Amino acid sequence: MRFFTSFFYGIHPSKCYGYIVNIDPLLPPGRCALNCPYCPLPIREIVGKGYGVRVNIDHFKSVLEKHGDVLAEVKRIRIWGFGDPFLVENLGELLMVLREYMRSRGVDGSLILHSSGLALHRAVEMNTAELIDEVGVAFPWCIGEYPLHGFGGLINLLQSFPEKDRLVIEVLAYRRNSEIYPDPLMLRELSSCIKKTGVSRIRVKTFSRPPFNEELKPVSRRVLNDIVRRLEEDGFDVSTCNMDLPPLKSIKISGLLEVIYNHILRLPLSTRDILQVYGENGLIAVKNIVDEQKAVTSVWENTLFYRGIL
C-alpha cells in the first residue's frame, strides 16, 4: 500500500477554532526556516530563508474539487502545515484560487493562516493580507531554546502589518519539569513587547497533543486563566483555547485512509480525536496505517496518540 502526501489533511478538532479544515501548501518534508521547540512537526534540519517554494496551482485545484464537500460543510479553513505558509512564493495566487472556489461554491467561511512571523512582510509584498480573515502569529518567536530571541525583528514585522485587526498573537503556556512558561516576570515582558506591536488580540493556549520535545507539558486551566486575567488587566482582548467539542456529524470524506495519514503526519491525533472526527471507520483506518508502519503510537499525558511518519 502506497501513501501519498496531500495539501488537504482533514478536519481538525481545534480547541481554538472548533472544527477546521486544514490545508498545507508547503507539503512534507518541511521547508520552514524555524525549528520552534513546541512545534508538533518532526525536528529537522533548519533550511534557508529563501522563498523558492511554488505550489502547482492545477494540482491544488484538483485537491479542492476532490474535497469540496468538506470545505462547504465545515466552512472554516486554516492554512498551515509543514512550515510557515508565507514561505510559498505564489501564496497570493493560491489564496485567490481558494477564495474564488469558496465563492463559486457558496461557502461563506473564514480563511485563517498560521504563521511563525518570520516572513510576515511577505503579506505586504504579495498583497495577500486582504485575502485572509485572520493571521495567527506564534509569540514569542522561538529559535533554538531561548524563547525571547528575535523579539525586535518580530515586533517590527507586526508593527508594519497593514491589517492589524486581522492579527491574533498566540501565547503558548507550558511547563518544563517544575517551571512554568511564561512565569510572571516573563509575562510582564511579553505584555510590554506585544503592546509595542499595536496588536490588541491575544489567544492563550497550552498543549492538547504531544510536541516532539516531550519535555514540554500542558499547564492547568487555572494557570491559563491567570495568564488571561493578567493580559486583560493590561488592556488586551484575550481569548482562551479551551473548546470542548461534540462529535462531528457525519461528513463523507473521499480517500479516508490517505486523509487520516496526512492528518497525523502533521498533527498527532488521539483515539478520541479520531472517533470524534472520523468515526469508527477512522479508527479502523488509523490502525491499518500503523500496521503498514506509516504511523506510530505513544502515550502522552495518559492518552494514546497516533503520529504519522514519512
Side-chain angles (χ1 to χ4, degrees):
M1 185 182 299
R2 295 188 66 186
F3 291 83
F4 298 94
T5 57
S6 172
F7 295 120
F8 176 87
Y9 63 105
I11 305 168
H12 190 68
S14 169
K15 288 186 174 293
C16 299
Y17 303 106
Y19 289 110
I20 190 165
V21 172
N22 285 312
I23 292 178
D24 176 8
L26 279 172
L27 295 179
R31 302 182 179 92
C32 187
L34 293 180
N35 220 351
C36 300
Y38 51 70
C39 184
L41 301 174
I43 296 170
R44 57 205 180 275
E45 182 180 349
I46 297 177
V47 299
K49 299 180 183 179
Y51 308 102
V53 181
R54 291 189 65 84
V55 170
N56 183 314
I57 295 298
D58 289 336
H59 182 199
F60 182 70
K61 288 178 179 178
S62 71
V63 171
L64 292 181
E65 289 294 339
K66 182 177 181 180
H67 299 290
D69 291 344
V70 178
L71 271 65
E73 191 71 33
V74 178
K75 295 184 172 63
R76 187 177 288 112
I77 301 167
R78 176 172 59 182
I79 309 296
W80 182 75
F82 261 76
D84 194 321
F86 284 121
L87 295 173
V88 175
E89 194 173 79
N90 58 337
L91 179 65
E93 184 181 5
L94 181 147
L95 292 174
M96 284 190 284
V97 165
L98 183 52
R99 278 293 188 195
E100 176 56 28
Y101 182 83
M102 293 169 68
R103 187 199 62 76
S104 68
R105 295 289 295 263
V107 179
D108 184 19
S110 56
L111 191 54
I112 298 159
L113 190 144
H114 184 77
S115 172
S116 63
L118 173 71
L120 202 58
H121 63 283
R122 298 279 291 167
V124 180
E125 295 172 2
M126 298 185 293
N127 295 316
T128 57
E130 61 187 24
L131 297 171
I132 306 164
D133 295 301
E134 178 184 302
V135 179
V137 179
F139 203 90
W141 194 20
C142 290
I143 301 176
E145 289 295 315
Y146 185 55
L148 295 183
H149 182 86
F151 261 11
L154 181 56
I155 288 169
N156 290 337
L157 287 169
L158 290 165
Q159 285 174 337
S160 63
F161 194 80
E163 306 279 352
K164 284 194 177 57
D165 59 325
R166 305 189 188 203
L167 284 175
V168 179
I169 287 176
E170 297 181 351
V171 173
L172 179 76
Y174 59 83
R175 58 185 169 86
R176 175 183 276 155
N177 299 320
S178 61
E179 296 181 357
I180 290 179
Y181 168 84
D183 62 27
L185 180 61
M186 186 176 287
L187 187 59
R188 283 198 295 271
E189 187 165 355
L190 272 171
S191 178
S192 175
C193 288
I194 294 172
K195 281 182 178 178
K196 294 176 184 177
T197 69
V199 179
S200 61
R201 295 165 63 200
I202 297 177
R203 183 178 294 122
V204 179
K205 60 183 183 179
T206 191
F207 291 112
S208 59
R209 59 202 67 253
F212 263 84
N213 185 347
E214 293 193 1
E215 290 182 354
L216 309 184
K217 304 292 184 180
V219 299
S220 67
R221 184 164 291 193
R222 179 188 61 80
V223 171
L224 284 182
N225 289 341
D226 190 50
I227 293 170
V228 169
R229 178 182 59 80
R230 290 169 182 266
L231 290 171
E232 286 179 337
E233 289 173 353
D234 287 343
F236 294 105
D237 178 7
V238 190
S239 60
T240 313
C241 294
N242 58 6
M243 289 188 186
D244 193 10
L245 303 175
L248 186 66
K249 68 178 183 178
S250 179
I251 297 177
K252 186 176 180 181
I253 298 177
S254 177
L256 184 62
L257 189 76
E258 181 180 290
V259 168
I260 293 178
Y261 170 66
N262 274 274
H263 197 155
I264 61 176
L265 196 58
R266 277 80 166 197
L267 295 166
L269 293 177
S270 68
T271 301
R272 181 177 182 270
D273 291 333
I274 292 166
L275 288 172
Q276 196 173 20
V277 178
Y278 301 112
E280 293 288 346
N281 287 338
L283 199 57
I284 294 169
V286 79
K287 288 178 179 178
N288 287 336
I289 296 169
V290 172
D291 289 343
E292 293 291 330
Q293 298 183 339
K294 297 302 288 183
V296 295
T297 60
S298 64
V299 176
W300 182 78
E301 295 293 293
N302 300 315
T303 302
L304 180 68
F305 281 88
Y306 297 86
R307 188 192 293 277
I309 53 178
L310 287 169

